[in-house]
Amino acid sequence: MNIKNLYIALCFLFIGNSFAQQTPAPSQTSDVTIEGGTAHLGNGKVIENALIMFSNGKITHVGNANSKIARRGTVINASGKHIYPGLIAANTSLGLAEIDAVRATRDFDEIGTMLPHIRSIIAYNTESRVVETMRPNGVFIAQVTPRGGRISGTSSVVQLDAWNWEDAVMKKDDAIHVNWPNALSRGRWWLGEDPALKPNKNYQKNVDKLVSYIKEAKNYLNGNRNSKSLPYEAMEGLFNGKQKMFIHVGGQKPITDAITVMKETGIKNIVIVHGQEAEKVADLLKSNNIPVVLERAHRLPNLEDEDYDLPFRSAKILSDAGILVGLGMEGDMERMSTRNLPFYAGTYAAYGLDKEKALQIITENNAKILGIDNVTGTIQVGKDATLFISKGDALDMRTNILTDAFIQGRKLSLETHQTKLWKRYSNKYKNN
């Protein structure tokens, strides 16, 4: 190798190291005890002066620090601080794209309309620099979800400190995502059409196409397999109850239609995503035990006659109606904005939802909706030691400053390329 090629190789090595994500934390080898902090368990309960211990990645004790129990391993004094379960983001394309403006980095939307066999987990990038920015805010788990088409594909649930997708996955192929047809449409103003909302004349036609496809898949799975169909086979979990169908839908009529139609096709395990106007069909949702994954509250009302603050109060309205409510992140800048998950929950708290219930929608509730509540979502004996310590309220961006963080008992580094830049330029101005 000549000197020129050597320089080029060293240059690429330096660039690769400078842009690579930090190495995942090693497995827990010694016990950890956290005492003295205020523990927010994620199920609505709070323990003042708490004592929490975990070993081999699992929580072994949750109680009061005044109890006469021997502390084990490394003892962390959390006095004056707050302890929370790791936060869970539903319905996000985190790890499926890196730079929105660079098409080659976007891998969340495949060509086609009916794509139940597309698996997002295969495309999940554990080396994403966006992913590492989640951890300093306490976001440790995410449902990685595809976009596009009528049936987008299959999501999976991952923890955000891993070497590869096989290490990251917590629940593989948990749900198939369907984009329900819009009952309303806007005219194309650039063609001189009226841009106001009006009934979509193709609504029922599009619904019929979707229903026909689902029935064809069911017929295929019932034994009429003339030729192999990967898309139809991918839908088997919807009919045997092993998978959920996440229906991305808004509007009173579309939500009602979606629930009615899916019950008729034999798919009962469904989740409503977005759910604008879900409060108008709260009784239907509750009677069918259907959860709702809301989107971020920071948006305008959908209709002109809605209250200006309805998006901010929706979580409280649905929770008060007895509906299981979670929080998703789909929308503009969704991958980068996922790190703000706790602050979006805090917005719902600011508009009437009890603070512990607001925490619950991004911990226990999301865990239940994603089917991982047996291992995470709350600080509870036997569950994964996925939790963090914050100097203040985790739902307030001014006070959510993490001091310690753990995923499955592994102690995380809270350093990212963003914190490095912050320290770098903070020092610059200190020296001037």
Side-chain angles (χ1 to χ4, degrees):
M1 178 182 292
N2 60 39
I3 191 67
K4 180 180 179 181
N5 290 338
L6 177 62
Y7 283 143
I8 293 173
L10 289 173
C11 180
F12 276 111
L13 178 64
F14 173 78
I15 293 173
N17 287 336
S18 65
F19 280 88
Q21 192 189 48
Q22 60 192 255
T23 302
S27 299
Q28 181 183 5
T29 56
S30 61
D31 295 351
V32 175
T33 299
I34 303 173
E35 66 173 336
T38 300
H40 305 260
L41 304 186
N43 58 5
K45 298 179 181 179
V46 178
I47 300 178
E48 302 287 349
N49 191 26
L51 177 66
I52 298 169
M53 294 187 285
F54 51 93
S55 177
N56 296 320
K58 296 291 183 180
I59 298 173
T60 57
H61 179 83
V62 178
N64 191 280
N66 292 327
S67 58
K68 296 181 179 179
I69 296 177
R71 279 51 171 166
R72 301 180 61 181
T74 302
V75 178
I76 300 174
N77 183 357
S79 297
K81 299 176 183 178
H82 297 259
I83 309 162
Y84 294 91
L87 308 181
I88 304 168
N91 186 35
T92 174
S93 57
L94 185 67
L96 300 182
E98 194 70 3
I99 304 170
D100 286 343
V102 180
R103 186 172 183 177
T105 72
R106 305 199 306 262
D107 202 9
F108 53 82
D109 185 359
E110 294 291 338
I111 296 173
T113 303
M114 305 295 187
L115 304 168
H117 57 302
I118 296 299
R119 303 174 63 222
S120 63
I121 190 63
I122 301 298
Y124 176 66
N125 177 21
T126 55
E127 294 288 341
S128 168
R129 300 187 79 197
V130 179
V131 169
E132 75 172 11
T133 66
M134 304 297 118
R135 298 194 291 263
N137 281 356
V139 182
F140 297 162
I141 299 171
Q143 182 193 37
V144 179
T145 307
R147 302 283 183 239
R150 182 64 66 206
I151 301 179
S152 302
T154 304
S155 60
S156 290
V157 183
V158 300
Q159 54 84 9
L160 305 182
D161 181 59
W163 287 99
N164 49 48
W165 72 261
E166 290 94 337
D167 293 337
V169 69
M170 294 183 66
K171 187 164 186 179
K172 191 184 300 182
D173 302 329
D174 70 298
I176 289 178
H177 292 253
V178 173
N179 297 302
W180 194 261
N182 293 321
L184 300 175
S185 64
R186 294 185 183 274
R188 297 167 293 182
W189 58 267
W190 59 92
L191 295 179
E193 299 174 354
D194 182 4
L197 278 174
K198 52 183 173 296
N200 181 2
K201 62 182 180 181
N202 293 319
Y203 171 71
Q204 192 57 52
K205 178 181 177 181
N206 292 333
V207 170
D208 291 342
K209 283 183 179 179
L210 175 61
V211 173
S212 177
Y213 187 87
I214 293 172
K215 288 181 177 179
E216 287 173 6
K218 185 176 183 180
N219 185 48
Y220 171 89
L221 293 167
N222 285 337
N224 299 312
R225 309 189 183 198
N226 296 325
S227 60
K228 189 175 182 65
S229 172
L230 291 178
Y232 288 164
E233 291 189 5
M235 297 178 70
E236 186 171 10
L238 294 176
F239 298 104
N240 62 24
K242 293 183 179 180
Q243 280 180 311
K244 295 182 179 181
M245 176 180 278
F246 277 55
I247 305 177
H248 300 233
V249 58
Q252 182 177 357
K253 175 177 170 53
I255 292 174
T256 303
D257 289 346
I259 294 171
T260 303
V261 166
M262 290 308 153
K263 287 179 64 178
E264 291 175 352
T265 60
I267 299 174
K268 299 179 181 179
N269 202 0
I270 69 174
V271 176
I272 297 299
V273 183
H274 301 321
Q276 298 92 352
E277 298 188 38
E279 68 280 357
K280 296 180 180 179
V281 291
D283 291 341
L284 178 64
L285 292 166
K286 185 177 180 181
S287 63
N288 287 279
N289 195 29
I290 296 174
V292 175
V293 174
L294 292 173
E295 57 187 334
R296 291 169 275 177
H298 297 187
R299 56 185 174 84
L300 295 173
N302 279 4
L303 302 176
E304 292 180 354
D305 59 349
E306 288 181 346
D307 292 344
Y308 75 94
D309 60 352
L310 180 60
F312 298 87
R313 295 187 293 109
S314 57
K316 175 175 172 53
I317 294 171
L318 294 175
S319 295
D320 289 349
I323 296 167
L324 182 64
V325 177
L327 178 57
M329 290 303 303
E330 185 173 358
D332 293 339
M333 294 287 290
E334 66 179 86
R335 291 167 293 282
M336 295 73 173
S337 295
T338 298
R339 64 175 174 266
N340 294 322
L341 178 74
F343 314 137
Y344 292 124
T347 298
Y348 285 122
Y351 281 80
L353 189 64
D354 177 79
K355 182 63 72 71
E356 296 305 318
K357 286 187 176 180
L359 173 66
Q360 209 167 343
I361 68 175
I362 54 174
T363 52
E364 184 181 46
N365 288 11
N366 267 355
K368 286 181 177 179
I369 293 170
L370 302 183
I372 56 172
D373 55 302
N374 61 322
V375 294
T376 193
T378 57
I379 299 176
Q380 183 178 337
V381 172
K383 291 191 177 182
D384 288 349
T386 299
L387 49 86
F388 63 90
I389 303 172
S390 174
K391 290 184 178 180
D393 181 359
L395 305 190
D396 188 333
M397 67 174 64
R398 299 167 297 181
T399 58
N400 187 27
I401 303 171
L402 272 62
T403 59
D404 299 88
F406 303 86
I407 291 181
Q408 297 169 338
R410 305 189 308 274
K411 185 171 176 59
L412 304 180
S413 166
L414 296 173
E415 195 75 86
T416 72
H417 62 284
Q418 292 180 335
T419 58
K420 289 177 181 177
L421 288 172
W422 168 64
K423 291 176 182 178
R424 176 184 175 187
Y425 286 99
S426 294
N427 291 329
K428 171 185 176 182
Y429 292 108
K430 284 181 182 177
N431 296 330
N432 289 339

